[in-house]
Amino acid sequence: MTTLTHEEIVRGLAENREAPNGAARNAHAEALAGAAEAVGDRALFREALDNLINAYLYSSESPKILVPFARLLQEYDKDPAAFSEWETHSLFWQFKWVATAIADSPGIPLESATGWLEEMERRYRLAGYSERPVRDAELWLAHATGDDERAERAFRSWLAAERDDMSDCQACELGGQGHYAVLRGDDAEALELWRPVLTGELVCAEEPHRVLASSLLPLLRLGRNDEARSNHLRGYRMARGNESLLPSVGKHIEFCALTGNTSRGLEILAEHASHVAPLANLDDRLAFHGGILVLLHRLRELGHGDLPAVSYEGTPRTVSGLYEVLYAGCLDVAGQFDARNGTARVSERFRARVVREPLAADLPLGVRSTGLPRPTNDTGKAAPAVPAPDAATPNGFAELVARARNARDLGHPGADALWAEVALRLDAQPAADPLVRADLADQQALAAARRGAQEARELLAAVRDEYRVLGRAERAALAELRMAGAAAQSAAAPAEVRELLRAALRSAEALDHAEPLRARRIALAELSAIRLESYLRSVEASGPGGHHQHGHPGEEGQEHAHGELAAELASFIAAHEEAAPDVVAEAEEMSGRVTLAQGDPERALPLLATSAARAVTAGRPWQAVDPLVLRAGVLMSLDRTEEAEQAARSALEHAAELTDAEAQGAVRLTLADILLRRGGTAAEAAEHALTAAHWFDRAGLGTDGGAQARLLLARAYANDERTVEAAEVLQSTLPDLLEHGDGQTVFVREFLGDLLRRLGELRPAAEQYLLAAEVAKGWEDPRPQASLAQSAADTLDDAGLAEEAVAAYERALELHRRTGADPVAEVRVLRSLAWLGLREEITATAVDLARGRMGEAAAVLEAALAADPGAPALRSELAQTWHQLAQVLDRYVATAREADGDEDIDDARPTPLSPAQVDALRREEIELWDRSGRTYAELGPDHLRDRFQCLNNAAWTEQERGDAEAGAARVAALIEEVRALAEDEVPDWLLPSAERLLTQLKGRAG
């Protein structure tokens, strides 16, 4: 190995401190410590040992800190005076880490662990430190060994001891105290202790990361599911990929397993696949792998044992395979702890954790997850969708059949589930009822027709014939009508479909006049004929491939067809209004849709309202949902937002009995969208969007309706200042949203960029802006691209990436100049470029370039003002430009003065200015601030703060030139002017600040 020089080691330590946590950083830190010891520089060796301890601590190899700490302690005992005050403090601080590492290392005998704790107590006492950290360490060692009485004494002593420089931060202490409360079974106390950490009042490098994860199960056990969801989204984003937080990652995986989110749990597991290995930190291994085992156990219980999981030690594993290897490994680790501690506590708690029962059956998280395949039972057949009921008596079965028939006749959404239950129980009945079997065949044929199966017509014909044999003519007539619909769906010839419709109408009309359903059957046949005839006419008007052949071409033809259909529906409604109100409600909804297609939303609104009301009156409230959702959308398009909200809320109320997941998602998506547009209801909008996404996922529409619901959810979270959750939700569904056109792609990427920027994730934010700008590149209007390029530049500038920021600003400037539509944006880009040019060096050349940019900005504004002299925004920007130019000159003078007398001047430092040059620049600054201040004065009281800042700067610059009286005169004039203003126009701070400034200037003048 090549020997490193002192300088190379120093440089290596600086790099290592900034390196990502993990094995690579640890290996480098080990090499640097060895090299430092070889060099023989004791101070450098101590620094290298300290660096190695810190590297180990924030990785999965934290128990390794014992060896370098022991070496560092030896160095201290040899020569305590060689340690600086900071090094001594650091050494004693690290004792706490060592105490934790010892407790977490079953290979260290209990006697040695106790000895280290006693040594810590002795040294702390001699150094004059509080016993608080010692009692903290004693608590966890006593708890691990099963000595609960000693643990409780240590806990009380911990709380009673005084806080001092050796105490952990309050966030970490509360984290530990809350964890102890959970172990004692007091979830409510734990959450109360954690409250300042969870709310962000108390934070540190590892909190609230750990507490957010620890709070998940206590919140679920207390029924506070919304908070648990929020803490999962916030906490996992903080813990993701962090080696020292693998136990917290395990808790997030466990949370997913116990809330019906096993697919999300598997995704988190996949993100941390590289850590699913025999970790050096056995306590972390037990905690992390234990959380994974909760998930794997749950998946096996659900029939997913053969599902691929992740590899372990290079071998791909299924869920069951990974479970077996991790369970055996964790049980071995738990046994090692128990053998060291003399108890069975660790093993018992591990076993109990793995088999925990779910705490929430199906808790929506909002984030997008890939659904799991449907599990199979032992026979390989799909598990039944509806469980068999408890009772199987003939009377119970008859009642079930009656309920199923009543639901079917009402068109109730729950009818299918009831008939599925009938099918499950039929074979157990002592006598087969042919009518029940016919009804079941009818349900199966209807299901086939709904999914467009080729055999649907054949099945429906068989059902018709069976009903005729059984004397159920009203059911046979309905089956015959459905045959016409199935024929049209299978693209049968129009003539054939029409003949089936005529036959169905004849069958309905032939029903006995005493039959209660006769009028309804006739109405259904006529409405079906209207609906299908419209379709058939469009088929006949088109040739092969859908090309127009006859009739009315283009928009004129469509208008004629819509008019004809609207007239037929109006005639139908008038004829059947009394006899078949639910069928008429369908016709009114259809008529409303036709009217919308004709471009007449105002006329459509009453039709949709009447349709919904008639359905409710007819005892079919679920049938009102679709027209109400449509009506809400139409009202929003007309900016009648209050009425739209009322319609959407009514739709949600009537959707209570709907079993169709897509319909449930649609009504909630509509309401969430309306609430967001109305503003001020972000929390409720988030609730509905979250539920909508959940329903769309269940309908298999996660990439469509689910993606739109998640976009609304992210927007609602963002409006509610829940930025982390918004970013998590949006990033999870980003691939789906990018499939919905360039317009949405640009919006979503810009939105994500805004969220990431708020979170301080500047590089990823800039990347999103640039990707959005690339999509907008081909648009006819260059303004969106210009705005996005400017946002990217601002973000890159904030991130300290000057070169990349300049490139983005130059692109934005080019686009703004091409449109000439936004002089303010153009000016702000120019000013940003001016300041960026001064970031690396403030030389005469750099200042000249900045002055040029500021001059360009002023010219743009002056040209815009020539066209619109009264525009206050333009005048304000012009004043700001002069103000900033004065600041550039002020910085130049200050930097040049620092260089005055410096003998080591190079090209990167400014040349010292002569007194005459300084005075000329100072006079120019004063003139610019005066000009800016006058403009702000013209803009009125709203700009008093800006004006005062200009006056303050000018006054102190005058004082620096030796003329404090001139500055004082400026301030006195402002005070006199402000006192003449109305009281409500003057900010509270202004007069006291101005009077204080006047006193200071007069003191300098004297």
Side-chain angles (χ1 to χ4, degrees), residues 33-34 37-38 42 45-46 49-50 52-53 65-78 83 91 116:
E37 184 175 21
R42 308 318 298 169
F45 181 46
R46 293 196 301 271
L49 288 173
D50 180 79
L52 180 56
I53 290 168
I65 66 173
L66 293 172
V67 173
F69 179 78
R71 294 293 305 277
L72 194 57
L73 198 59
Q74 288 175 1
E75 291 291 314
Y76 179 78
D77 289 338
K78 287 178 186 177
F83 279 62
L91 177 71
W116 269 99

Side-chain angles (χ1 to χ4, degrees), residues 810-827:
E810 293 285 6
R811 178 60 178 154
L813 183 61
E814 175 193 344
L815 292 164
H816 281 310
R817 284 176 169 170
R818 188 188 303 172
T819 65
D822 193 348
V824 171
E826 184 178 346
V827 161

Side-chain angles (χ1 to χ4, degrees), residues 898-954:
E898 291 175 5
D900 193 13
D902 191 336
E903 297 178 358
D904 299 322
I905 297 175
D906 57 32
D907 291 339
R909 291 180 62 82
T911 303
L913 298 170
S914 70
Q917 289 174 311
V918 169
D919 190 61
L921 287 168
R922 288 304 195 198
R923 281 187 282 107
E924 185 177 358
E925 290 173 36
I926 294 167
E927 194 279 328
L928 286 165
W929 273 316
D930 278 346
R931 192 189 309 173
S932 180
R934 286 194 300 271
T935 303
Y936 282 132
E938 293 167 2
L939 289 169
D942 288 344
H943 290 270
L944 277 170
R945 181 178 293 277
D946 296 315
R947 184 182 173 192
F948 179 75
Q949 186 62 56
C950 291
L951 184 148
N952 178 80
N953 293 348

Side-chain angles (χ1 to χ4, degrees), residues 836-861:
L836 272 170
L838 300 172
R839 177 168 291 180
E840 297 297 325
E841 57 183 19
I842 304 179
T843 62
T845 301
V847 170
D848 284 344
L849 289 172
R851 186 195 288 272
R853 292 292 194 185
M854 293 292 186
E856 287 182 67
V860 169
L861 290 166

Side-chain angles (χ1 to χ4, degrees), residues 28 64 128 157 181 251 371 409 517 580 618 735 757 769 778 852 963:
H28 187 208
K64 289 186 177 182
S157 299
K251 290 175 182 177
D409 294 343
L517 293 174
R757 192 174 180 185
Y769 292 135
D963 191 2

Side-chain angles (χ1 to χ4, degrees), residues 652-686:
L652 181 61
E653 178 186 350
H654 295 319
E657 296 178 82
L658 282 180
T659 58
D660 182 76
E662 182 179 358
Q664 289 283 4
V667 67
R668 286 167 173 80
L669 182 63
T670 300
L671 180 54
D673 186 31
I674 292 169
L675 291 173
L676 263 186
R677 291 198 208 179
R678 293 202 69 192
T681 52
E684 187 186 357

